[in-house]
Amino acid sequence: MSVLTLENINFSYGKTAVLNDVSFDFEKGKMYCITGKSGAGKTTLLSILSRLAAPQSGKISYNGEDIAKIDKYKFRSKYMGVIFQSFNLITKFTAVENVMLSMDIAGVKDDNKRGKALELLHSVGLDDDEANRRVLMLSGGQQQRVAIARAISYNPDIILADEPTGNLDTETQDEIMEIFARLRSEGKCVIIVSHSPDVAKKCDVNYELKRNKKN
């Protein structure tokens, strides 16, 4: 059974159609890549998937339930972990504090949240010293790891990543993709929006958005 299903999703900006009858299925334990040329609607679709925008027609289901009936803040803080292209970390906080804050927002019950946050940061390749640095003192690859740890801190079914390797060197890109592959093996549904052919090759399923010919 699909964990997330898109049925005939449509979205327009004024008279300009961006998404036309988009229908995709996403399952747990698989890694997906959504590709498409500039203007094909990747950013719009990402906004719709993360509940930052709503389709003008069509239906999205989470475990068979219409997500329009699920509170969008609950959806983002319980069921889907979002990794933004610009990370969106709180720069005055340390890496571990960023992860702990995410746990607090999601209402995670744990007597040792700091210990759990450190465990998550270790799982994505950061040591204690890096975990206790302010995120501004971390490299781009390290900040990406913090963003991943934050996204999985409340154990969501779905991980949605926007160009997660776009600004990384090849070696770091491969390491980040290995983290996503591990999350897939743990039963997560991993959805990546990317321009990278290398990223697409590492995914189980590729969905391509076609640019509207009228654009």
Side-chain angles (χ1 to χ4, degrees), residues 31-37 41-50 52 80-88 140 143-145 147-148 150-151 158-168 173 176-177 180 189-196 199 203 209:
M31 188 155 61
Y32 298 82
C33 188
I34 298 174
T35 63
K37 295 180 180 179
K42 296 190 303 299
T43 300
T44 300
L45 182 62
L46 188 141
S47 295
I48 289 172
L49 288 172
S50 60
L52 295 173
M80 176 178 282
V82 182
I83 302 165
F84 298 95
Q85 185 175 6
S86 57
F87 310 137
N88 283 13
Q143 289 186 44
Q144 186 64 280
R145 294 169 194 271
I148 295 172
R150 181 182 61 179
I158 305 164
I159 307 297
L160 178 62
D162 181 15
E163 294 286 358
T165 63
N167 298 315
L168 305 179
Q173 171 182 283
I176 295 299
M177 290 304 296
F180 287 133
C189 173
V190 181
I191 304 171
I192 300 172
V193 177
S194 180
H195 287 95
S196 170
V199 169
C203 293
L209 291 174

Side-chain angles (χ1 to χ4, degrees), residues 18-19 47 57 68 72 74 89 94 109 129 142 161 172 203 205:
V18 179
L19 299 176
S47 295
S57 64
K72 62 184 178 181
K74 180 180 180 180
L89 300 171
T94 63
K109 304 298 182 183
D129 176 65
Q142 290 169 332
T172 305
C203 293
V205 180

Side-chain angles (χ1 to χ4, degrees), residues 24 27 36 54 63-64 70 90 106 113 125 128 133 155 160 162 195-196 203:
F24 295 151
E27 299 177 11
N63 285 332
I70 304 173
I90 299 178
K113 287 183 181 176
D128 283 347
R133 289 184 203 166
N155 197 29
L160 178 62
D162 181 15
H195 287 95
S196 170
C203 293

